[in-house]
Amino acid sequence: MVLDLNDMETYAGFRNSYTYQHPVYLAAEDRYFLFWRGVDLKPNYSISEDGGKTWSKGKIFILPERIYKNRRPYLKVSSNGKDVIHFAFTDGHPNVENENSIYYMYYQHGNLFKVTGELIQSLGEDPVSPEETSIIYNAHEEGNPKSWIWDVAGDKKGRPVAAYVKLKNDSTHIYCYARWNGIDWEDHELITSGGYFPEDTPGEVQREKEYSGGISIDHEDPDIVYLAVNRDGMFEIEKWMLDADGTKWEVIPITHGSSKNNVRPFAVRNAGNDNALQVLWLHISHYRHYTDYASEIKTDMIRLN
């Protein structure tokens, strides 16, 4: 089945594209939701009431002020599979935003809410602007570097947890871990991971200075995150585990002494504790740009360096 969901009648004249799909099923509603970067390069959404046979026409979901053409928020989505969907997103792409903050909202019972439970609006009304939602990290405050979202999840109490990076400069990307405690965001800097991982090409300007090695939350246990950290000039994959007090991290190397970069870890969803496969990542032969690369997918089942 080919889904042609972008509403090019309502949004005539805007860019028509599809990427970054996030399918979600909510058992309490027996409905499928699909989020993607679509028309106008904005997060769009559609809903299926009949098990995916038919879908509503797509609508723009998040709409920041159009201060420049093709401004595109980056969106991460997570769900408990029952009745809640978590969303974390940015103002746009950090290579064109002077200030790029991290925002949060959640969906439940047909409505969108701030992290505090304050109603934003019903789903299906006008697109949501970032200013209407909850802010996890404010890059608009003086002295704060711009940022980029990497992941969002719900903890055992259903409270949101987010992983993002502060982009202080080209060589200083700082991984951060933020958790809502019911009153405030407990926001911690974990480690400076190094800079970007794409290779520089002599005579050419580096196009992707914001491409960090990557951080991923274990959605079954958000006290666990997987990081790609520059160790001795090469990106390595590490497992970080938060202790019961929520104050100290145990660091377990997944790769070490590598001759090639290991980046963009992804914690496998619903893996279960007994599953040997917990994390995937890219093992890079070369990577100059997302249109010019050679890589392999590796797993923690066979730890190849």
Coordinates of all heavy atoms in Angstrom, one line a residue, residues 53-105:
K53 N -6.3 0.4 7.1 CA -6.8 0.2 5.7 C -7.0 1.6 5.1 O -6.7 1.8 3.9 CB -8.1 -0.5 5.8 CG -8.0 -2.0 6.2 CD -9.4 -2.6 6.3 CE -9.3 -4.1 6.8 NZ -10.6 -4.7 7.0
T54 N -7.5 2.6 5.8 CA -7.6 3.9 5.3 C -7.1 4.9 6.4 O -7.0 4.6 7.6 CB -9.1 4.3 5.1 OG1 -9.9 4.2 6.3 CG2 -9.7 3.3 4.0
W55 N -6.7 6.1 5.8 CA -6.0 7.1 6.7 C -6.6 8.5 6.4 O -7.0 8.8 5.3 CB -4.5 7.1 6.4 CG -3.8 5.9 6.8 CD1 -3.7 4.7 6.1 CD2 -3.1 5.7 8.1 NE1 -3.0 3.8 6.9 CE2 -2.6 4.4 8.1 CE3 -2.9 6.5 9.2 CZ2 -1.9 3.8 9.1 CZ3 -2.2 6.0 10.2 CH2 -1.7 4.6 10.2
S56 N -6.7 9.3 7.5 CA -7.2 10.6 7.3 C -6.1 11.4 6.5 O -4.9 11.1 6.5 CB -7.4 11.3 8.7 OG -6.2 11.4 9.4
K57 N -6.5 12.5 5.9 CA -5.6 13.4 5.2 C -4.7 14.0 6.2 O -5.1 14.4 7.3 CB -6.4 14.4 4.4 CG -5.5 15.1 3.3 CD -4.9 14.1 2.4 CE -5.1 14.3 0.9 NZ -4.4 13.3 0.1
G58 N -3.4 14.1 5.8 CA -2.4 14.6 6.7 C -2.6 16.1 7.1 O -3.2 16.8 6.3
K59 N -2.2 16.4 8.3 CA -2.3 17.8 8.7 C -0.9 18.2 9.3 O -0.2 17.3 9.9 CB -3.4 18.0 9.8 CG -4.8 17.8 9.4 CD -5.7 18.1 10.5 CE -7.2 18.0 10.1 NZ -8.1 18.4 11.2
I60 N -0.6 19.4 9.2 CA 0.6 19.9 9.9 C 0.4 19.8 11.4 O -0.6 20.3 11.9 CB 1.0 21.3 9.5 CG1 1.5 21.3 8.0 CG2 2.1 21.9 10.4 CD1 1.8 22.7 7.5
F61 N 1.3 19.2 12.1 CA 1.2 19.0 13.5 C 1.9 20.1 14.4 O 1.3 20.6 15.3 CB 1.9 17.6 13.8 CG 1.8 17.1 15.2 CD1 0.6 17.3 16.0 CD2 2.8 16.5 15.9 CE1 0.5 16.8 17.3 CE2 2.7 16.1 17.2 CZ 1.6 16.2 17.9
I62 N 3.1 20.4 14.0 CA 3.9 21.4 14.7 C 4.3 22.5 13.7 O 4.9 22.2 12.7 CB 5.1 20.8 15.4 CG1 4.7 19.8 16.4 CG2 6.0 21.9 16.0 CD1 5.8 18.9 16.9
L63 N 4.0 23.8 14.1 CA 4.3 24.8 13.1 C 5.0 26.0 13.8 O 4.3 26.9 14.4 CB 3.0 25.3 12.4 CG 3.2 26.4 11.4 CD1 4.0 26.0 10.2 CD2 1.8 26.8 10.9
P64 N 6.3 26.1 13.8 CA 7.0 27.3 14.3 C 6.8 28.4 13.4 O 6.3 28.2 12.2 CB 8.4 26.9 14.4 CG 8.6 25.9 13.3 CD 7.3 25.1 13.2
E65 N 7.1 29.6 13.8 CA 6.9 30.8 12.9 C 7.8 30.6 11.7 O 9.0 30.2 11.8 CB 7.4 32.1 13.7 CG 7.2 33.3 12.9 CD 7.6 34.6 13.7 OE1 8.1 34.4 14.8 OE2 7.6 35.7 13.1
R66 N 7.2 30.9 10.5 CA 8.0 30.7 9.3 C 8.9 31.9 9.0 O 8.7 32.7 8.1 CB 7.0 30.5 8.1 CG 6.2 29.2 8.1 CD 5.5 29.0 6.8 NE 4.8 27.7 6.7 CZ 3.4 27.6 7.0 NH1 2.7 28.7 7.3 NH2 2.9 26.4 6.9
I67 N 10.0 32.0 9.8 CA 10.9 33.1 9.7 C 11.9 32.9 8.5 O 12.6 33.8 8.1 CB 11.7 33.3 11.0 CG1 12.4 32.1 11.4 CG2 10.7 33.8 12.1 CD1 13.3 32.3 12.6
Y68 N 11.9 31.7 8.0 CA 12.7 31.4 6.8 C 12.1 30.2 6.1 O 11.3 29.4 6.7 CB 14.2 31.2 7.1 CG 14.5 30.0 8.0 CD1 14.6 28.7 7.5 CD2 14.7 30.2 9.3 CE1 14.9 27.7 8.3 CE2 15.0 29.2 10.2 CZ 15.1 27.9 9.6 OH 15.3 26.8 10.5
K69 N 12.4 30.1 4.8 CA 11.8 29.0 4.0 C 12.3 27.6 4.5 O 13.4 27.4 4.8 CB 12.2 29.2 2.5 CG 11.5 28.2 1.6 CD 11.9 28.5 0.1 CE 11.2 27.5 -0.8 NZ 11.5 27.7 -2.2
N70 N 11.3 26.7 4.5 CA 11.6 25.3 4.9 C 12.2 25.1 6.3 O 13.0 24.3 6.5 CB 12.6 24.7 3.8 CG 12.0 24.5 2.5 OD1 10.8 24.4 2.3 ND2 12.8 24.6 1.4
R71 N 11.7 26.0 7.2 CA 12.1 25.8 8.6 C 11.5 24.4 9.0 O 10.3 24.2 8.9 CB 11.5 26.9 9.4 CG 12.1 27.0 10.8 CD 11.5 28.1 11.6 NE 12.3 28.3 12.9 CZ 11.9 29.1 13.9 NH1 10.8 29.7 13.8 NH2 12.7 29.2 14.9
R72 N 12.3 23.6 9.7 CA 11.9 22.2 9.9 C 12.2 21.7 11.3 O 13.3 21.4 11.6 CB 12.5 21.3 8.9 CG 14.0 21.3 8.7 CD 14.4 20.7 7.4 NE 15.9 20.4 7.4 CZ 16.8 21.4 7.0 NH1 16.4 22.6 6.7 NH2 18.1 21.1 7.0
P73 N 11.2 21.7 12.2 CA 11.4 21.1 13.5 C 11.8 19.6 13.4 O 11.2 18.9 12.5 CB 10.1 21.3 14.2 CG 9.4 22.3 13.4 CD 9.9 22.2 12.0
Y74 N 12.7 19.1 14.2 CA 13.0 17.7 14.3 C 12.2 17.1 15.5 O 12.2 17.7 16.6 CB 14.5 17.5 14.5 CG 15.2 17.5 13.2 CD1 15.4 18.7 12.5 CD2 15.7 16.4 12.6 CE1 16.1 18.7 11.3 CE2 16.3 16.4 11.4 CZ 16.5 17.6 10.7 OH 17.1 17.6 9.5
L75 N 11.5 16.0 15.2 CA 10.6 15.4 16.1 C 11.0 14.0 16.5 O 11.3 13.2 15.7 CB 9.2 15.4 15.5 CG 8.1 14.7 16.2 CD1 7.7 15.4 17.5 CD2 6.8 14.5 15.3
K76 N 10.9 13.7 17.8 CA 11.0 12.4 18.3 C 9.7 12.0 19.0 O 9.1 12.8 19.7 CB 12.2 12.3 19.3 CG 13.6 12.5 18.7 CD 13.9 11.5 17.7 CE 15.3 11.8 17.1 NZ 15.7 10.7 16.1
V77 N 9.3 10.7 18.8 CA 8.0 10.2 19.3 C 8.2 8.9 20.1 O 9.0 8.0 19.7 CB 7.1 9.9 18.1 CG1 5.8 9.4 18.5 CG2 6.9 11.2 17.2
S78 N 7.5 8.7 21.1 CA 7.5 7.5 21.9 C 6.1 7.3 22.5 O 5.3 8.3 22.7 CB 8.5 7.6 23.0 OG 8.5 6.4 23.8
S79 N 5.7 6.1 22.8 CA 4.4 5.8 23.3 C 4.4 4.6 24.3 O 5.3 3.7 24.2 CB 3.4 5.4 22.1 OG 2.2 5.0 22.6
N80 N 3.5 4.6 25.2 CA 3.3 3.4 26.1 C 2.5 2.3 25.4 O 2.3 1.2 26.0 CB 2.7 3.8 27.4 CG 1.3 4.3 27.3 OD1 0.7 4.4 26.2 ND2 0.7 4.7 28.4
G81 N 2.0 2.6 24.2 CA 1.3 1.6 23.4 C -0.2 1.5 23.9 O -1.0 0.7 23.3
K82 N -0.5 2.2 24.9 CA -1.9 2.1 25.5 C -2.7 3.4 25.2 O -3.7 3.4 24.5 CB -1.8 1.8 27.0 CG -1.1 0.5 27.3 CD -1.0 0.3 28.8 CE -0.2 -1.0 29.1 NZ 0.0 -1.2 30.6
D83 N -2.2 4.5 25.9 CA -3.1 5.7 25.8 C -2.3 7.0 25.7 O -2.9 8.1 25.7 CB -4.0 5.7 27.0 CG -3.3 5.8 28.3 OD1 -2.1 5.6 28.3 OD2 -4.0 6.0 29.3
V84 N -0.9 6.9 25.7 CA -0.1 8.1 25.8 C 0.9 8.1 24.7 O 1.5 7.1 24.4 CB 0.6 8.3 27.1 CG1 1.6 9.4 27.1 CG2 -0.4 8.5 28.3
I85 N 1.1 9.3 24.1 CA 2.2 9.5 23.1 C 3.0 10.7 23.6 O 2.5 11.8 23.8 CB 1.7 9.7 21.7 CG1 0.7 8.7 21.3 CG2 2.9 9.8 20.7 CD1 0.0 9.0 19.9
H86 N 4.4 10.5 23.7 CA 5.3 11.6 24.1 C 5.9 12.2 22.8 O 6.3 11.4 21.9 CB 6.4 11.0 24.9 CG 6.0 10.3 26.2 ND1 5.6 11.0 27.3 CD2 5.8 9.0 26.5 CE1 5.3 10.2 28.3 NE2 5.4 9.0 27.8
F87 N 6.1 13.5 22.8 CA 6.7 14.2 21.7 C 7.8 15.1 22.3 O 7.6 15.9 23.2 CB 5.7 15.1 20.9 CG 4.5 14.3 20.5 CD1 3.3 14.3 21.2 CD2 4.6 13.6 19.3 CE1 2.2 13.6 20.7 CE2 3.4 12.9 18.8 CZ 2.3 12.9 19.6
A88 N 9.0 15.1 21.6 CA 10.0 16.1 21.9 C 10.5 16.6 20.6 O 10.7 15.8 19.6 CB 11.2 15.4 22.7
F89 N 10.8 17.9 20.5 CA 11.1 18.5 19.2 C 11.9 19.8 19.4 O 12.0 20.3 20.5 CB 9.8 18.7 18.4 CG 8.8 19.6 19.0 CD1 8.7 20.9 18.7 CD2 7.9 19.1 20.0 CE1 7.8 21.7 19.3 CE2 6.9 19.9 20.6 CZ 6.9 21.2 20.2
T90 N 12.4 20.3 18.2 CA 13.2 21.5 18.2 C 12.5 22.6 17.4 O 11.4 22.4 16.8 CB 14.5 21.2 17.5 OG1 14.2 20.9 16.1 CG2 15.3 20.0 18.1
D91 N 13.1 23.8 17.5 CA 12.6 24.9 16.6 C 12.8 24.6 15.1 O 12.0 24.9 14.3 CB 13.4 26.2 16.9 CG 13.0 26.7 18.3 OD1 11.9 27.2 18.5 OD2 13.9 26.7 19.2
G92 N 14.0 24.0 14.8 CA 14.4 23.7 13.4 C 15.7 22.9 13.4 O 16.0 22.2 14.4
H93 N 16.4 23.0 12.3 CA 17.7 22.3 12.2 C 18.8 23.3 12.8 O 18.8 24.4 12.4 CB 18.0 22.0 10.7 CG 19.1 21.1 10.5 ND1 20.4 21.4 10.9 CD2 19.2 19.9 9.8 CE1 21.2 20.4 10.5 NE2 20.5 19.5 9.9
P94 N 19.6 22.7 13.6 CA 20.6 23.6 14.2 C 21.6 24.3 13.3 O 22.3 25.2 13.7 CB 21.3 22.7 15.3 CG 21.1 21.3 14.8 CD 19.8 21.3 14.1
N95 N 21.8 23.7 12.1 CA 22.7 24.4 11.2 C 22.2 25.7 10.6 O 22.9 26.4 9.9 CB 23.2 23.4 10.1 CG 22.2 23.0 9.1 OD1 21.0 23.5 9.1 ND2 22.6 22.1 8.2
V96 N 20.9 25.9 10.8 CA 20.3 27.2 10.3 C 19.6 28.0 11.4 O 19.2 29.1 11.1 CB 19.3 26.9 9.1 CG1 20.0 26.5 7.9 CG2 18.3 25.9 9.5
E97 N 19.5 27.4 12.6 CA 18.9 28.1 13.7 C 20.0 28.8 14.5 O 21.0 28.1 14.9 CB 18.1 27.2 14.6 CG 16.9 26.6 13.9 CD 15.7 27.5 13.9 OE1 15.7 28.5 14.6 OE2 14.8 27.2 13.1
N98 N 19.9 30.0 14.9 CA 20.8 30.7 15.8 C 20.6 30.2 17.2 O 21.5 30.1 18.0 CB 20.7 32.2 15.7 CG 21.1 32.8 14.4 OD1 22.1 32.3 13.8 ND2 20.4 33.8 13.9
E99 N 19.3 29.9 17.5 CA 19.0 29.3 18.8 C 18.0 28.2 18.6 O 17.0 28.3 17.9 CB 18.3 30.4 19.7 CG 19.1 31.7 19.9 CD 18.4 32.8 20.4 OE1 17.1 32.8 20.3 OE2 19.0 33.8 20.9
N100 N 18.3 27.0 19.1 CA 17.5 25.8 18.9 C 17.2 25.2 20.2 O 18.1 24.5 20.8 CB 18.3 24.9 17.9 CG 17.3 24.0 17.1 OD1 16.3 24.4 16.6 ND2 17.7 22.7 16.9
S101 N 16.0 25.3 20.7 CA 15.6 24.8 22.0 C 15.0 23.4 21.8 O 14.7 22.9 20.7 CB 14.6 25.7 22.7 OG 15.2 27.0 22.9
I102 N 14.7 22.7 23.0 CA 14.0 21.4 23.0 C 12.7 21.6 23.8 O 12.6 22.1 24.9 CB 14.9 20.4 23.8 CG1 16.3 20.3 23.2 CG2 14.2 19.0 23.8 CD1 16.4 19.8 21.8
Y103 N 11.6 21.1 23.1 CA 10.3 21.3 23.6 C 9.6 19.9 23.8 O 10.1 18.9 23.3 CB 9.4 22.0 22.6 CG 9.9 23.4 22.3 CD1 10.8 23.6 21.2 CD2 9.6 24.5 23.0 CE1 11.3 24.8 20.9 CE2 10.1 25.8 22.7 CZ 11.0 25.9 21.6 OH 11.5 27.1 21.3
Y104 N 8.6 19.9 24.7 CA 7.9 18.6 25.0 C 6.4 18.8 25.1 O 5.9 19.9 25.6 CB 8.4 18.0 26.3 CG 7.6 16.8 26.8 CD1 7.8 15.6 26.3 CD2 6.5 17.0 27.7 CE1 7.0 14.5 26.7 CE2 5.7 15.9 28.1 CZ 6.0 14.7 27.6 OH 5.2 13.6 27.9
M105 N 5.6 17.8 24.7 CA 4.2 17.8 24.9 C 3.8 16.3 24.8 O 4.6 15.5 24.4 CB 3.3 18.6 24.0 CG 3.4 18.2 22.5 SD 2.4 19.3 21.5 CE 2.9 18.7 19.8

